Amino acid sequence: GGMNVLFIVVDDLRPVLGCYGDKLVKSPNIDQLASQSILFSNAYAQQALCAPSRVSFLTGRRPDTTRLYDFYSYWRVHAGNYSTMPQYFKENGYVTLSVGKVFHPGVSSNYTDDYPYSWSIPPFHPSTEKYENQKTCRGKDGKLYANLVCPVDVTEMPGGTLPDIQSTEEAIRLLNMMKTNKQKFFLAVGYHKPHVPLRYPQEFLKLYPLENITLAPDPWVPEKLPSVAYNPWTDIRQRDDVEALNISFPYGPVPDDFQRQIRQSYYAAVSYMDVQVGLLLNALDNVGLSNNTIVVFTADHGWSLGEHGEWSKYSNFDVATRVPLMFYVPGMTTTSVTQGGRIFPFLDPFDHIVGSVPQGRSKRVVELVSLFPTIAELTGLQVPPVCPETSFHIALCTEGMSIVPYFNGSEVKMEKEKERCDDTDRCFTEEPVALSQYPRPADTPQWNSDKPKLKDIRIMGYSMRTVDYRYTVWVQFNPNNFSANFEDVHGGELYVMETDPNQDYNIYNNTSRGWFFKKILG
């Protein structure tokens, strides 16, 4: 039979991982996975918000097709009865299992995580998830708060555990079950951390002494950033510890020492999550399934750690849209392992393991909307057809392209093609592009700018990322008929990656770039 699939999706994880070149983070288990995988260094989400991104990559449709830009509609009713990736595997003889946060829970997945369409058994949610935003963080005064920065003693937590620990235990239980029942499986495991609040076992702080933590390279709001593009990070302002700082809305900066604490806790939460991933992959070895299971590791979007004076996601910048993405495919990304040989021995981040280097690394620009056709192709299932221009009436098709052709080091060929081509349109259209988008209620930052409800959306920021540029236009949007008016531009951004990798110097208004727009808008 075909391969099993272990699909790991992390909430709010930007690529701060050793395998992505981050010098500070300790992520030995994900780095070890990367060393046996092909890793994509230019992978992007379609919208930097949990529910829209997850519905997009699980259906293989873009947010304009799922018509979900917030949390408050179920695509099957609201847009079209689209098949999902797990549903497709289920219809093709796989047992499909969901653990933790895979679909965004609530209306956007019909309050059932799209069960029974997508999953063979009802999805598992950790029982301690309900305490996530409660007062469980001990302050200096010994009292409990609902803080953003929240290192905890796990034994003092409700239930004596944390949600991601419970999810790992359940996923391991299911792997043991699948070993005995010998059916092909598609197991999706969704980890919460490093989503806010940054609540993790306090020992992980030891990995990141505060004196080693720097500020973002560009902790200021860029001078030429259109105000519509800025996200005012309201979710963070509501946490007890941040509220106590009385930061002015919308542009008041977070005090430097607290910025360092947020960054320190984000890193600590990543290392805590890395341990969970390590235990999960080690269990895959233990049940003898590493030889015939494809492992996919990604995140729903990134998270700003003070870049551009912003925090959280909610924007079109790379820090919010770029995600880690790697595929471990036995026999393809790694040579076959002898029976009983271990591929994923558990690595303890407190042992200072030197990070391992990824097997294959592709700089090709790819999108999460491509996950569905890619994973289908890797398992030998028929790849769903590419959707026509409008596809509301089509149950099974995908708006992403399978990226399997990028797996076998066709990078060299791509570089050659670039040299051969001197600005001709043909070359330009062949270049892969990632599309992301973000809605806004107004031209200036409001209390609901981060998460406008559909009825309040007035502007949509459409963003294109190529290897060399990020280009964004903020245009008038009508939420009643889901139409964008590209003639009515409220703001634009253009960043040249070679000279401005952090996207701080917007050259949209410099007319010398006219050729670029002509080319893009064709």
Side-chain angles (χ1 to χ4, degrees):
M3 296 257 184
N4 304 309
V5 178
L6 173 58
F7 179 66
I8 304 170
V9 58
V10 183
D11 212 346
D12 289 22
L13 178 67
R14 60 190 262 165
V16 292
L17 297 164
C19 52
Y20 277 86
D22 189 289
K23 299 284 185 278
L24 184 63
V25 74
K26 294 193 164 54
S27 54
N29 294 288
I30 298 167
D31 297 348
Q32 176 173 253
L33 172 65
S35 74
Q36 306 291 325
S37 301
I38 175 156
L39 177 147
F40 286 88
S41 54
N42 264 318
Y44 298 89
Q46 275 47 77
Q47 190 183 324
L49 187 62
C50 305
S53 174
R54 288 161 188 266
V55 168
S56 171
F57 68 66
L58 289 164
T59 60
R61 314 289 185 112
R62 300 184 185 280
D64 281 346
T65 305
T66 65
R67 294 187 160 172
L68 181 69
Y69 316 104
D70 58 17
F71 300 89
Y72 308 106
S73 65
Y74 179 43
W75 79 92
R76 291 185 191 275
V77 173
H78 176 77
N81 190 16
Y82 313 139
S83 295
T84 67
M85 171 165 50
Q87 176 183 359
Y88 189 59
F89 278 85
K90 184 173 170 229
E91 287 165 357
N92 281 281
Y94 281 71
V95 175
T96 57
L97 307 160
S98 174
V99 171
K101 186 172 171 184
V102 180
F103 277 101
H104 192 87
V107 186
S108 62
S109 56
N110 204 31
Y111 298 102
T112 64
D113 298 84
D114 197 47
Y115 176 79
Y117 290 102
S118 287
W119 311 107
S120 304
I121 61 173
F124 169 87
H125 286 280
S127 61
T128 60
E129 213 175 280
K130 56 176 169 296
Y131 307 113
E132 204 47 15
N133 294 306
Q134 293 186 8
K135 295 184 188 251
T136 55
C137 322
R138 206 165 286 291
K140 296 233 178 353
D141 58 7
K143 295 200 183 86
L144 290 176
Y145 294 92
N147 286 343
L148 170 63
V149 170
C150 186
V152 297
D153 177 342
V154 177
T155 60
E156 290 179 0
M157 290 299 99
T161 186
L162 290 170
D164 284 348
I165 296 173
Q166 289 185 292
S167 291
T168 303
E169 288 164 354
E170 174 65 10
I172 292 172
R173 191 184 72 79
L174 290 171
L175 285 176
N176 281 302
M177 208 174 79
M178 293 321 294
K179 178 195 176 178
T180 50
N181 97 3
K182 302 246 189 298
Q183 265 182 297
K184 286 190 301 191
F185 63 85
F186 178 104
L187 168 59
V189 182
Y191 285 114
H192 280 270
K193 292 303 119 184
H195 192 286
V196 297
L198 299 169
R199 186 171 69 138
Y200 52 85
Q202 60 202 12
E203 59 269 24
F204 285 92
L205 271 178
K206 290 196 200 81
L207 296 173
Y208 302 103
L210 208 48
E211 60 269 22
N212 295 355
I213 307 290
T214 57
L215 299 182
D218 53 349
W220 64 86
V221 179
E223 198 183 316
K224 295 194 167 151
L225 184 70
S227 57
V228 67
Y230 180 82
N231 74 279
W233 38 279
T234 41
D235 61 339
I236 284 184
R237 295 170 193 273
Q238 289 149 10
R239 312 282 165 175
D240 292 351
D241 50 354
V242 181
E243 206 168 15
L245 299 168
N246 281 324
I247 300 164
S248 66
F249 185 91
Y251 296 113
V254 174
D256 285 6
D257 61 334
F258 199 77
Q259 290 199 37
R260 286 195 178 86
Q261 283 183 46
I262 300 175
R263 288 169 67 93
Q264 175 192 38
S265 275
Y266 187 89
Y267 275 82
V270 170
S271 289
Y272 156 60
M273 182 273 301
D274 178 79
V275 164
Q276 303 310 312
V277 171
L279 294 168
L280 176 63
L281 293 173
N282 186 51
L284 192 68
D285 264 359
N286 288 344
V287 294
L289 292 169
S290 302
N291 264 333
N292 61 348
T293 302
I294 290 166
V295 182
V296 183
F297 179 91
T298 192
D300 56 354
H301 44 70
W303 211 77
S304 183
L305 285 165
E307 294 85 0
H308 314 113
E310 297 185 322
W311 301 87
S312 308
K313 48 259 186 173
Y314 316 128
S315 84
N316 280 322
F317 282 118
D318 272 25
V319 283
T321 55
R322 184 168 167 246
V323 293
L325 177 62
M326 60 192 82
F327 297 85
Y328 160 78
V329 187
M332 183 180 192
T333 62
T334 181
T335 46
S336 191
V337 177
T338 49
Q339 214 43 50
R342 300 193 74 78
I343 302 174
F344 304 120
F346 176 75
L347 302 176
D348 184 339
F350 294 93
D351 290 344
H352 302 294
I353 292 121
V354 179
S356 37
V357 186
Q359 270 295 90
R361 180 185 280 274
S362 172
K363 292 194 173 68
R364 284 275 174 131
V365 171
V366 297
E367 312 177 275
L368 291 187
V369 76
S370 292
L371 281 171
F372 186 171
T374 302
I375 298 171
E377 181 169 347
L378 289 172
T379 53
L381 294 184
Q382 196 170 354
V383 179
V386 174
C387 295
E389 192 77 15
T390 52
S391 59
F392 295 106
H393 56 293
I394 300 174
L396 180 68
C397 69
T398 169
E399 292 182 89
M401 305 294 276
S402 167
I403 60 174
V404 174
Y406 300 165
F407 277 38
N408 53 7
S410 51
E411 301 299 307
V412 187
K413 200 169 115 267
M414 170 179 140
E415 288 307 314
K416 289 232 164 42
E417 274 167 26
K418 257 191 154 166
E419 285 160 28
R420 239 199 6 258
C421 83
D422 48 337
D423 255 359
T424 59
D425 282 338
R426 184 190 59 78
C427 295
F428 190 82
T429 52
E430 279 176 10
E431 181 169 11
V433 168
L435 302 173
S436 303
Q437 61 190 103
Y438 213 87
R440 293 283 186 242
D443 286 296
T444 54
Q446 312 293 316
W447 280 101
N448 64 338
S449 286
D450 291 345
K451 296 188 275 194
K453 292 187 172 174
L454 175 63
K455 65 174 175 45
D456 298 322
I457 297 171
R458 294 293 172 271
I459 301 161
M460 188 69 74
Y462 288 96
S463 193
M464 273 179 59
R465 178 67 155 78
T466 68
V467 162
D468 302 313
Y469 302 97
R470 177 168 288 286
Y471 168 63
T472 305
V473 279
W474 297 88
V475 301
Q476 188 264 328
F477 184 84
N478 180 342
N480 302 317
N481 60 6
F482 302 92
S483 67
N485 178 6
F486 284 85
E487 304 294 298
D488 184 358
V489 177
H490 289 237
E493 298 167 80
L494 175 59
Y495 305 101
V496 182
M497 299 312 296
E498 191 179 9
T499 53
D500 181 22
N502 298 326
Q503 305 172 352
D504 295 320
Y505 303 100
N506 177 14
I507 60 163
Y508 179 81
N509 289 332
N510 306 19
T511 48
S512 62
R513 291 288 167 186
W515 63 268
F516 180 78
F517 305 125
K518 279 211 284 291
K519 196 167 265 195
I520 279 190
L521 303 169

